[in-house]
Amino acid sequence: MGKSLVIGRVRGIEIKVHPTFLLTVPWVAFNWGYSGGYGPAGIAFGFVLMLLLFAFVVLHELGHSFAAMRYGVGVRDITLLPIGGVARIEQLPVEPRRELAIALAGPAVNLAIALLFAPPVLWIGAARGVENPLQLLGIVTDLTPSGFIVYLFFTNVMLVLFNLLPAFPMDGGRVLRAVLSHFTGRLNATRVAVVLGQLIGAALCALGLGTRVPSLALVGAFIIAAAYVEGTAVRVEHTMRKLRVGQFILWDMGGIGEHHPLPYALRGGPRDVAVVNGDGRVLGMLWRHDLMQALNGGANRFRTVGELMDIGAGSADVDETLYEVQQRMHLSGRRALPVTENGYYRGIFTNERFWYIYGHIARRPWLELRARLSRLAYAGRVRYSGR
């Protein structure tokens, strides 16, 4: 539905608002204006509360982000959606202790805010003769300073409780996985958390439909979908950590020499190609985009490959895992990587190749895929043996 709007930046982390966030506007107008019977004053009051609610959500996500950064994990951005916020963390730590710390950092922020509001809430309760804490809920819809404070208190309490549900993608699901990982391993722990998440999501959907609260059913559907995505991602990562990149490399006619003229690199069609020396050792990469741009108009046809190659591309060893190689490509921003064996060039691994393999693993369980991947590996080796 369009690109998210950047509204700020905190310690290099972009704060964004997704276009669907505008769906909260009619909800606030209906809930605080029409349904509450307060008119324009109620709508204004509701908008102030909504802005503060999402400010608390941003602080919650910053709690996760700062904890992740403390462990050296990069954070791209935080995006506000109608149902909450999402922090895009590059790669959650596999170590249970670190994942636990990052997962609990968000609810800890909201708990601290709730504790700040607790003294005035207790004073309001005493002034009104409240005997049961639940009676305070009757004050949250009051268009008064007391209602304002009590609403913000319960908002943070609910953010803590809701996020600690043992369901992906909630923080409680990650806490559960971190704890179970000590006993069953990360993959089995993820499976348990995913199943619980989907059961809780289904229960919320049923409750939302039964009570005619569409937003609750929407949250339940989101939890079901996100739990499935999380489970698939972890299963694929688990498989990728077992597969060696040497099984899936592509042969590109043995690379190209650094002294060849640029047009020579077009043999076989435009493509990213490894640059090697006479002994077959990798010197760099010649990127298709750079090649075509340089040859546009024919003025640079006498330039050599060595003048244009990317000497910082690096390389991977045939025994490295698919996961390690893909992470390196992602962090470097490069779409291909030469693969070597004992220092000698053996082939190239590309983003297209990775996503092809990823798609097959994501759609089929690992045991069913072994035959397919073996055929892929055999095909890659046949190409190499034809050098």
Side-chain angles (χ1 to χ4, degrees), residues 183-217:
F183 308 100
T184 65
R186 181 177 173 84
L187 183 60
N188 289 329
T190 300
R191 288 171 177 162
V192 173
V194 165
V195 171
L196 281 177
Q198 293 178 328
L199 290 175
I200 291 174
L204 290 176
C205 283
L207 181 61
L209 295 174
T211 57
R212 297 182 180 179
V213 182
S215 59
L216 192 59

Side-chain angles (χ1 to χ4, degrees), residues 282-342:
V282 175
L283 300 175
M285 283 290 298
L286 180 64
W287 302 110
R288 175 180 55 204
H289 173 76
D290 295 339
L291 175 64
M292 299 307 295
Q293 193 173 38
L295 291 177
N296 185 26
N300 295 306
R301 63 183 183 275
F302 297 113
R303 291 181 64 185
T304 63
V305 169
E307 296 178 62
L308 198 63
M309 70 177 178
D310 176 10
I311 60 175
S315 63
D317 187 82
V318 291
D319 287 326
E320 290 187 61
T321 67
L322 285 181
Y323 179 81
E324 293 171 330
V325 174
Q326 192 277 332
Q327 286 294 301
R328 192 184 308 169
M329 290 165 60
H330 171 72
L331 293 175
S332 67
R334 292 177 170 88
R335 56 182 176 267
L337 200 63
V339 180
T340 64
E341 182 179 22
N342 297 323

Side-chain angles (χ1 to χ4, degrees), residues 136-386:
L136 287 169
L137 291 174
I139 306 175
V140 297
T141 55
D142 291 353
L143 268 65
T144 62
S146 296
F148 184 80
I149 293 173
V150 172
Y151 185 95
L152 297 182
F153 170 76
F154 277 110
T155 292
N156 282 280
V157 171
M158 291 305 298
L159 283 172
V160 173
L161 296 178
F162 180 71
N163 278 284
L164 287 181
L165 286 174
F168 277 129
M170 317 312 296
D171 301 327
R174 303 192 185 281
V175 171
L176 176 64
R177 177 172 66 183
V179 173
L180 291 178
S181 293
H182 284 289
F183 308 100
T184 65
R186 181 177 173 84
L187 183 60
N188 289 329
T190 300
R191 288 171 177 162
V192 173
V194 165
V195 171
L196 281 177
Q198 293 178 328
L199 290 175
I200 291 174
L204 290 176
C205 283
L207 181 61
L209 295 174
T211 57
R212 297 182 180 179
V213 182
S215 59
L216 192 59
L218 180 63
V219 170
F222 172 76
I223 289 176
I224 292 173
Y228 172 79
V229 171
E230 180 77 20
T232 299
V234 172
R235 177 170 58 82
V236 171
E237 177 185 325
H238 180 78
T239 302
M240 290 284 187
R241 289 181 182 273
K242 291 183 176 181
L243 300 174
R244 305 299 169 183
V245 71
Q247 295 177 283
F248 307 104
I249 55 179
L250 297 170
W251 181 246
D252 64 346
M253 295 187 287
I256 188 172
E258 62 177 320
H259 300 300
H260 282 114
L262 289 181
Y264 185 78
L266 291 176
R267 61 193 177 100
R271 69 199 188 285
D272 300 323
V273 60
V275 183
V276 298
N277 63 13
D279 295 329
R281 295 184 181 274
V282 175
L283 300 175
M285 283 290 298
L286 180 64
W287 302 110
R288 175 180 55 204
H289 173 76
D290 295 339
L291 175 64
M292 299 307 295
Q293 193 173 38
L295 291 177
N296 185 26
N300 295 306
R301 63 183 183 275
F302 297 113
R303 291 181 64 185
T304 63
V305 169
E307 296 178 62
L308 198 63
M309 70 177 178
D310 176 10
I311 60 175
S315 63
D317 187 82
V318 291
D319 287 326
E320 290 187 61
T321 67
L322 285 181
Y323 179 81
E324 293 171 330
V325 174
Q326 192 277 332
Q327 286 294 301
R328 192 184 308 169
M329 290 165 60
H330 171 72
L331 293 175
S332 67
R334 292 177 170 88
R335 56 182 176 267
L337 200 63
V339 180
T340 64
E341 182 179 22
N342 297 323
Y344 295 97
Y345 179 61
R346 290 293 178 258
I348 190 170
F349 188 72
T350 66
N351 265 340
E352 291 81 4
R353 187 72 164 167
F354 170 79
W355 288 115
Y356 176 76
I357 298 168
Y358 183 100
H360 280 283
I361 297 175
R363 288 193 298 268
R364 294 176 174 83
W366 166 238
L367 290 177
E368 185 180 332
L369 261 179
R370 295 180 69 174
R372 287 178 174 269
L373 295 178
S374 295
R375 286 197 293 271
L376 284 172
Y378 177 76
R381 292 186 179 187
V382 166
R383 275 190 292 272
Y384 167 64
S385 63

